[in-house]
Amino acid sequence: MTTIADSQVELAAPTGREEAWRFTPLRQLRGIHEQLNDPSQISIDVDAASGVSFTWADTATQAPTSGPTDWASSIARAATTRTAVVTIARDVEVDSPTVLAVTGGGIENPQVGHIVINAEPFSKATIVIDHGGSSTYSENVDINVGDGAQVTVLMVQTWSDDTVHLSRQHAVVGRDATFRSFVASFGGQVVRIVPTVEYTAPGGSAELLGAFFADAGQHLEHRSLVDHSVPHCRSNVMYKGALKGDPEAGAAGVAHTVWVGDVIIRAAAIGTETYEVNRNLVLTDAARADSVPNLEIETGEIAGAGHASATGRFDDEQLFYLQSRGIPADVATRLVVRGFFADVINRLNVPDWQLRLANIIDAELGLEGIEEGSDDE
Amino acid sequence: MSVLEIRDLHVSVDAEGGAREILRGVDLTVKSGETHAIMGPNGSGKSTLAYSIAGHPKYTITSGTVTLDGEDVLAMTVDERARAGMFLAMQYPVEVPGVSVSNFLRTSVTAIRGEAPKLRTWVKEMKGAMDALSMDPAFAERNVNEGFSGGEKKRHEILQMELLQPKIAILDETDSGLDVDALKVVSEGVNRVAASGEVGVLLITHYTRILRYIRPDFVHVFVDGRIVAEGGAELADELEAHGYDQYVKAAASA
């Protein structure tokens, strides 16, 4: 069996037999996992908050990533010529989010992109990478969280139905630094996101959060990896997903989600505390949720390590209970689904975007704008 | 003045080997201001009666009628029944993770009343109702039924009944699993609602214990899917003394 640690560098294009690619519908990727024909640079519009600086840089001048790379991310990096660099200077704390709007340029020719976020020591900021439009897109994101810095990176995928999106996101977390990643995937035909984390010194903390909602014909895949190689760091992974397929539409109607949560605690990483959880809410037939937590522990001297995974159908007893209190079925369904996502969305410390994600989920349910009496107090 | 009329109600559930009839011809009339107790042994179909009237999809009505002020209750969806004035306090209310009690109550009150209550008066109303049931204000911020004790679940059901002000309230074994203090608090809530004279109460119970705190106007003995004896509060005293045996034996030999 391939261990997590062995599978971090890919030297050839995947065939689908690899552990890391076994769930992915390679034939739908338009070849971008093998080679990039005539790639172009993706459009990125940046709205930098005051105190955050943004520049375009020659990708060749950027340091290579220290994180795990797969073949697709390697060839994407090689084909990228310009890097969007976001810098938060030392000691600067910024409350309002900096938004990078990534807009697809159509599905015909592949697009590539590279984003670097440098949070210098003791800085604090929120960065939103907001993906939309039609694209065949392969992306690399590198995040450096300096000592004592606090960084939240929210990646939102509200792509059009025909988009293919491969993304690798790697964070390097410094001493006593706090990194929070939130991946919110709703649109796209195939979306495969690989958020990875390493620590450079003790005291680091990483929270990897995710919310996703797959409709008929969508494949939404999230594979996180937290590599604990230094002592006394923490990680917490929570991904929650809903699936709503179309049972009338045959194979094309299946909603498919994949969550794989890898955590390695290496021999040196004493005092590690880690927990990961994935929950999936199946709203219809024609839905498939794969959920695989992997925990490799090479030292017994840890503070705690655990994982949980559960996939369950929408509970008709909940619906009956709410309806028996006069609440119409559509409002009741929305309450239950919002409730399901509440704990993960409440951990996103960006109120405007919390509300936006809740509204996107309502829209996915087809239940936006219905009457109700609960404006959140 | 409201009237719930149940006529010759037959109900079955899907079971191994086909449909199984549980209610076998129930007749009952409940009017505003009246308190009825339905008493019977386990498995007699008492809860089936409650859930069938509320519209739980597990139960199939095979014949009979249920009307509220002449309106056909059985033709209504579950939420329409509640908006028409029916309420069921459940024995095992379900958890709704991520939905706070205050959000749930306000959504429910809005649906029943047809408009959202003004926030200022609503908070006062909810706090007052919770206080009457000796519920901590922090309770409103907890998720619906999640981690509630048995007593908390029942108080929460009665809280809903007091806020929703139904025409007919059915209480399914609300007394089960309660200690004496909780039983008193819950009973006081039911008595407050009954004292208004505007609500008909149908109290379903296995034990006579709750009838020390809630005095029924009518007692119905329920055995094997139908009412086999009826009387006033004195019938409950007789059941307390002698149990259900004579009724069970009579039903078996019938």
Side-chain angles (χ1 to χ4, degrees):
Chain A
M1 188 184 153
T2 310
T3 65
I4 297 170
D6 287 341
S7 60
Q8 294 192 38
V9 178
E10 248 174 40
L11 301 172
T15 62
R17 286 188 295 272
E18 302 78 4
E19 173 59 31
W21 293 92
R22 69 186 172 108
F23 294 114
T24 315
L26 295 180
R27 276 178 299 182
Q28 293 183 41
L29 296 183
R30 302 176 193 134
I32 61 170
H33 60 297
E34 294 173 332
Q35 58 177 12
L36 296 164
N37 296 318
D38 194 17
S40 57
Q41 308 300 304
I42 195 104
S43 160
I44 303 178
D45 289 312
V46 181
D47 181 5
S50 174
V52 173
S53 68
F54 172 76
T55 54
W56 286 106
D58 181 350
T59 302
T61 66
Q62 296 295 305
T65 185
S66 60
T69 53
D70 55 41
W71 183 257
S73 63
S74 300
I75 60 171
R77 169 81 191 237
T80 308
T81 57
R82 57 173 202 174
T83 297
V85 181
V86 175
T87 304
I88 309 101
R90 188 182 181 101
D91 294 325
V92 172
E93 296 193 6
V94 181
D95 283 331
S96 48
T98 289
V99 180
L100 286 75
V102 179
T103 307
I107 64 169
E108 297 306 321
N109 290 320
Q111 289 125 58
V112 292
H114 184 215
I115 295 166
V116 171
I117 298 165
N118 285 318
E120 294 181 358
F122 306 103
S123 63
K124 182 178 175 185
T126 297
I127 314 295
V128 179
I129 306 173
D130 189 13
H131 298 98
S134 284
S135 188
T136 302
Y137 179 41
S138 193
E139 176 181 67
N140 283 282
V141 180
D142 287 290
I143 303 155
N144 299 303
V145 187
D147 292 350
Q150 297 175 49
V151 176
T152 296
V153 176
L154 167 63
M155 284 177 70
V156 183
Q157 288 64 247
T158 49
W159 296 110
S160 308
D161 290 344
D162 55 0
T163 290
V164 168
H165 179 203
L166 302 181
S167 180
R168 189 206 56 102
Q169 171 201 303
H170 184 65
V172 181
V173 178
R175 180 182 299 272
D176 300 328
T178 301
F179 171 60
R180 180 180 286 133
S181 150
F182 196 113
V183 176
S185 299
F186 305 108
Q189 180 182 331
V190 179
V191 172
R192 184 180 183 279
I193 295 176
V194 183
T196 60
V197 174
E198 69 174 298
Y199 302 84
T200 59
S205 176
E207 210 171 5
L208 304 184
L209 308 171
F212 50 90
F213 196 127
D215 287 331
Q218 280 191 296
H219 175 98
L220 303 180
E221 179 170 349
H222 302 90
R223 296 179 157 267
S224 56
L225 165 66
V226 183
D227 188 345
H228 283 279
S229 57
V230 299
H232 301 294
C233 290
R234 289 180 303 279
S235 60
N236 199 311
V237 180
M238 177 190 269
Y239 272 73
K240 299 192 92 165
L243 297 90
K244 189 176 124 200
D246 179 359
E248 311 292 307
V254 175
H256 189 192
T257 65
V258 178
W259 173 80
V260 179
D262 290 336
V263 175
I264 312 171
I265 305 174
R266 296 182 190 275
I270 58 168
T272 293
E273 188 174 349
T274 179
Y275 190 75
E276 57 173 354
V277 59
N278 169 230
R279 299 250 183 269
N280 299 304
L281 178 63
V282 177
L283 297 167
T284 59
D285 289 333
R288 176 178 161 188
D290 289 295
S291 181
V292 187
N294 288 318
L295 188 53
E296 283 190 18
I297 307 178
E298 296 170 5
T299 172
E301 296 172 63
I302 57 170
H307 60 73
S309 157
T311 297
R313 289 194 68 93
F314 184 83
D315 185 351
D316 290 334
E317 293 296 330
Q318 289 177 342
L319 193 60
F320 172 73
Y321 186 66
L322 296 171
Q323 279 190 271
S324 78
R325 272 44 177 159
I327 301 169
D330 52 359
V331 179
T333 301
R334 188 174 67 179
L335 262 184
V336 170
V337 173
R338 276 192 174 184
F340 171 78
F341 282 109
D343 54 355
V344 69
I345 288 182
N346 287 344
R347 281 158 78 170
L348 176 65
N349 53 342
V350 194
D352 287 355
W353 284 87
Q354 279 185 353
L355 187 62
R356 246 177 108 165
L357 297 186
N359 289 337
I360 293 169
I361 289 167
D362 288 351
E364 291 280 332
L365 283 167
L367 295 176
E368 69 272 40
I370 54 172
E371 291 294 316
E372 67 167 330
S374 61
D375 36 27
D376 293 352
E377 294 107 67
Chain B
M1 176 71 185
S2 293
V3 186
L4 176 73
E5 289 193 282
I6 302 166
R7 290 288 168 268
D8 193 31
L9 189 66
H10 289 253
V11 171
S12 61
V13 291
D14 287 331
E16 280 179 54
R20 187 159 60 88
E21 186 168 56
I22 297 183
L23 298 189
R24 309 194 304 155
V26 178
D27 290 285
L28 186 64
T29 302
V30 180
K31 295 177 182 163
S32 316
E34 296 177 352
T35 298
H36 294 248
I38 290 196
M39 307 191 59
N42 288 331
S44 58
K46 306 185 298 290
S47 290
T48 298
L49 178 64
Y51 281 82
S52 300
I53 297 169
H56 194 285
K58 181 178 160 191
Y59 301 102
T60 307
I61 315 288
T62 51
S63 68
T65 59
V66 178
T67 58
L68 178 63
D69 299 332
E71 298 287 323
D72 182 0
V73 171
L74 301 179
M76 301 177 193
T77 61
V78 174
D79 50 304
E80 284 169 349
R81 295 176 198 211
R83 292 199 296 276
M86 302 293 302
F87 179 84
L88 170 61
M90 299 190 197
Q91 188 180 1
Y92 303 110
V94 297
E95 297 180 359
V96 190
V99 177
S100 71
V101 167
S102 83
N103 185 8
F104 164 63
L105 292 177
R106 189 151 186 263
T107 305
S108 176
V109 164
T110 299
I112 297 282
R113 297 181 190 170
E115 61 176 354
K118 297 256 184 313
L119 197 53
R120 186 181 290 259
T121 54
W122 163 246
V123 170
K124 206 174 151 194
E125 185 186 354
M126 185 176 71
K127 289 231 164 84
M130 288 175 63
D131 195 43
L133 289 164
S134 307
M135 297 168 84
D136 191 304
F139 193 86
E141 303 314 315
R142 291 171 65 183
N143 290 334
V144 172
N145 291 317
E146 209 174 51
F148 287 17
S149 69
E152 286 172 334
K153 282 182 183 168
K154 298 300 168 67
R155 280 175 214 223
H156 181 228
E157 294 293 290
I158 299 304
L159 174 67
Q160 294 166 51
M161 180 179 70
E162 294 206 59
L163 290 169
L164 297 177
Q165 297 169 326
K167 293 173 179 165
I168 303 291
I170 304 172
L171 286 74
D172 184 25
E173 311 230 1
T174 297
D175 52 334
S176 66
L178 294 186
D179 61 30
V180 171
D181 289 341
L183 187 62
K184 280 182 187 166
V185 168
V186 163
S187 299
E188 282 165 17
V190 176
N191 288 333
R192 268 195 300 277
V193 167
S196 71
E198 289 166 10
V199 182
V201 175
L202 186 57
L203 193 68
I204 291 174
T205 182
H206 179 79
Y207 303 104
T208 54
R209 197 172 61 129
I210 194 170
L211 302 181
R212 289 174 210 154
Y213 306 101
I214 301 172
R215 198 69 183 160
D217 304 304
F218 305 95
V219 173
H220 312 267
V221 182
F222 207 80
V223 175
D224 201 18
R226 57 165 71 102
I227 291 167
V228 297
E230 294 180 290
E234 75 287 347
L235 182 52
D237 300 331
E238 190 227 298
L239 288 170
E240 167 105 31
H242 304 293
Y244 297 113
D245 275 1
Q246 58 163 315
Y247 298 105
V248 173
K249 280 177 190 148
S253 62

